[in-house]
Amino acid sequence: MIRPKKALGIVLLLLSAACLLTVCDWNPSIGDFTGNETAGPTGFTLCVDGRAVPLTDSFILIPPAGAGTPSLFELSFAYNSTRELAFQAHMAKNGAEPTDVTVTTSGSHTVKILVEGAAAWDRFTLTLRFRTADGFRDFDDFDDFVFPPIYCADPGNSVSGKAILAFNVTETGGLVSYAGEVDNTALPKTVTISVPYGTAPIMDVSVIHTGASISDGVTTVTASPAVFTGVNFTSMVEFTVRAADGSTEIYEVTVTPGTLTSREITSFRVKASETAIWYAGEVDNTALPKTVTISVPYGTAPIMDVSVIHTGASISVGVDTVDASPADFTGVNFTYPVEFTVTAADGSSTEIYEVTVNVGNGPDNPPATGGPYVAYRAAAIAPDNGFYTSIQGAVGAATNGTEANPDTIILIANEDINSTTHPVINILANKHIRLTSSTNKAINRGAGVNGSLITVIATGSLELAGNLVIDGGAANTPSLPATAALITVSGKLKMGGSVTLKDNNNAGGNGGGVAVNGGTFEMSGGSITGNTATNGGGVYVDGGYVDGGYVGGTFTMSGTAASTKIIGNQATNGGGVYVYNGSRFIMSGGTIGESGSSNTATNGGGVYVYNGSRFIMIDGTIESNAVNSGKGGGVYITGNNDPGISYFTKYGGTIDDNNSASSVNGPVLYGRDNAESGTSVIWTTSSGPNHIGTMKVDGGGATANFTAS
C-alpha cells in the first residue's frame, strides 16, 4: 500500500570540476534520467515469518511473541537507480504514538523489520519511508509504504482460533465508519461502539476475525474481513465466531447512539501534512475544561490535519464547522493550544476541548533534568533519548552510521574540551559521524588540552556541517599553546556549510586548522582562519601508514570564494596550505587568501608544495597572500630526493595580488629545484589574464612549461 507524496519538481544536476580529472561516458536522455533518479521503489512483495503475504490483504495476522520471539517482516521491491537508499520505519502499538524501529537490509532491495513484544490482541500500524543515502532525494520526495494493519491473534492455533480483532459499522447508505472497542478479556466477550445522536440503527458491518466463519444469527460468512449488510442494532446483537475445529466464541455487540445533549469527543488524531503517520490524542473528559493531549516526535511540523470522532451534531475550530463524525480538518496550527467546540443535537449545548500537541525533546528543547546537555544524537533509539553531556558520549553511542548515511550529532551548547567531563573527540575506525550546529555553537580548547580537539582514525569518517565553530582559543588567550592541529585526520573529513575552524596556535607543529596524515579532507564550504603552525597554517597534508602501507594524503577544495575560505593563517612554510610527502591538493573552487586577510609565511604565502607532492588547480582564487622574507607569495613548489619531483598543474582559476620579499622571488609562483631532484610546473590558461606578477623557476634541473596569457 503506497501513500503518495507531492510530485517532484525539475532536477538540476551539477557536475563538479573534479570530473575534469576523470573520463565521463554517461550521457543519459532526459527520460532515462527521470526514470532512474526520481522514481521511488515499486513492485513490492512481503513475507512475514517466512510466508508470503499478498498486499491486497486488508490485514496481517502475527502470533504472540512468546519467549521474546519477534515477527520478521521482509519487504522486497524494485528500484531503478544506482543510488543507495536509506530507510526509516515508524510503528504504533494499540493507537499509541508511533516510534522509530530498526530497519536492516538484505541485499540491495530487501529490508527487514522486527515486530517485537506482541501480545494477544495487540494491534500495530507500520510505515516505511525512503530517501537516497547521499541526500539527493529526501523522505518527502518518495512515497511512503504503509503496511496493512497488523493484528496479534489469540494464543490458539489456526484450528482453534476464533477471535474478533476489529469491528466496524457504517450506517447503511452512509459513508462514515465507526470503530468498535473489542474486549477479548471480558466474559462474555464484547464489542462496544458509540455513534452520534440521530444515527440510524440499521448498519453495515465489517469484521476481522481469526475463525473459519462468523455469524450474526441470520447470515454466516466464511471470509475475513467478513461483511454484513442491514444489521439492526436497536438492541444488542450476538456475533458467533466458529473455529475450524468447530468450537465457538460469542461476542455481544452493542451500538450506543448519543443523546440530544451528547457532546463528547471520543477519539482525536493528528498528522503532519504530506505524511501518512497519524498520532492519537489522549482525551480527558473529566478535566475542566476538557482536554486532548497529543505527543509527536521532535521535528514534526505544527501545521496538521485532524480527524475527530464525537457524539455531538457538529464540531468547530475557529471559523470551520463540520456537521459529521468523524470530522476532518486540514491545516490546523498547533504551535499553541487550540480550542475545539462540540455542539450537541439540541443546538444549544456545547463543550469546549483544549487540544495541545507536545513536540518531543530535540536540539532546541532538551529535557529539563539530567543535563547539562551539549549534544543531541538524531534518530536516537530509546532508552538513551538522544541527549548527552559530551560530544564523545554521543559519538560512543552512535553505531548505525555509514559513510553515505552517517549518524548525526547536533551541538546544542558550547563545549569546552577538557581532560575530565568533556574529553577530546575520537572518531574511531568504522565510526561515521555528521557533526553540526544550527545556532553557532562552539567546540573550544579548554585549559590543559594541547593536542587535537578531534581525531579521525583510518576507516572512520566525520562530516562537519551547519554553523559549527571549532575554536583553538588563541585569539582570546594568546598564551594558550597547542601541540597539534584542531583536527587530525587519517580517515576521512568533510567540511561544508558555514563551519569555522579558527584561532589555533600550533606554532611548533604541523597544521593549524587541519592536519591530514594519509587520510582525505574534502572542503566544500566554511572557513579556516586565524591559525598558526610551522608548516601549513590552515591545512597540512602529509602521507601516513594505512593498513600497513604508506599512502599520501589528499585535500580537495571546492565552492565559491564567498563560501569556502582559507584566510588569515600564518606559518613558516605554507601560510594557507602545505602539501608534503607524495600528497595531493586539488583546488576546484574557493579562495586561499583575500583582500584584508592574507595568509603569510616565510615561503609559500598561499600554498607550499614539497617532496614529491602534486598541486592541481582547476578553479578558485589564490590572492592577497604574502611572504615576509622568503619566496613564493602565491605558490612555492619544490622537490626532494625521495619521493622526488613535485608538480603544479594549473587548468584554470586566478592567482592574483600576492606579494613576496622581492619581485625576483615569485609573487605569483616560485619553483625551486634541488640538486638531485626537481620541480615541474605546467601552466595552461584559457583566454583572459588570470595572474599578475613574476613567476620564477630556480635551479638547473627544473622543468617549466608556461603558456600564460
Side-chain angles (χ1 to χ4, degrees), residues 430-521:
N430 302 315
K431 285 272 189 179
H432 304 283
I433 303 297
R434 181 177 187 267
L435 181 58
T436 184
S437 168
S438 59
T439 53
N440 295 299
K441 300 302 182 184
I443 300 170
N444 302 308
R445 183 181 297 282
V449 176
N450 305 112
S452 291
L453 303 186
I454 301 176
T455 300
V456 185
I457 304 299
T459 72
S461 69
L462 172 64
E463 177 184 349
L464 303 176
N467 296 311
L468 180 68
V469 176
I470 302 178
D471 190 345
N476 297 323
T477 309
S479 62
L480 188 64
T483 58
L486 288 171
I487 304 174
T488 296
V489 183
S490 56
K492 187 169 187 176
L493 173 66
K494 296 181 180 180
M495 175 175 161
S498 299
V499 173
T500 301
L501 311 183
K502 69 173 189 173
D503 299 335
N504 189 50
N505 182 14
N506 182 25
N510 295 322
V514 176
V516 179
N517 294 319
T520 300
F521 174 29

Side-chain angles (χ1 to χ4, degrees), residues 6-7 19 43 106 160 166 178 196 199 252 255 323 367 388 442 508 525 530 570 629 631 644 670 689:
K6 58 193 174 185
C19 280
S106 176
S160 61
Y178 302 95
T199 304
E252 294 184 349
V255 175
D323 297 326
Y388 299 86
Q570 57 182 318
S629 62
K631 302 171 181 178
Y670 182 90

Side-chain angles (χ1 to χ4, degrees), residues 378-433:
I381 299 173
D384 63 46
N385 202 32
F387 292 91
Y388 299 86
T389 57
S390 71
I391 295 175
Q392 186 58 35
V395 170
T399 58
N400 299 319
T402 63
E403 185 178 325
N405 188 29
D407 284 302
T408 295
I409 296 172
I410 303 171
L411 188 66
I412 60 176
N414 294 336
E415 178 165 14
D416 293 339
I417 299 298
N418 57 44
S419 58
T420 54
T421 56
H422 297 283
V424 295
I425 302 161
N426 290 309
I427 311 300
L428 300 179
N430 302 315
K431 285 272 189 179
H432 304 283
I433 303 297

Side-chain angles (χ1 to χ4, degrees), residues 110-147:
T110 299
V111 297
K112 297 181 178 181
I113 302 172
L114 294 178
V115 178
E116 301 183 278
W121 325 126
D122 282 343
R123 64 190 187 279
F124 301 87
T125 59
L126 177 60
T127 303
L128 181 66
R129 311 190 73 195
F130 307 87
R131 69 174 177 86
T132 58
D134 59 7
F136 183 74
R137 288 281 173 256
D138 204 351
F139 290 119
D140 287 340
D141 294 327
F142 289 141
D143 296 334
D144 295 343
F145 181 87
V146 182
F147 289 77

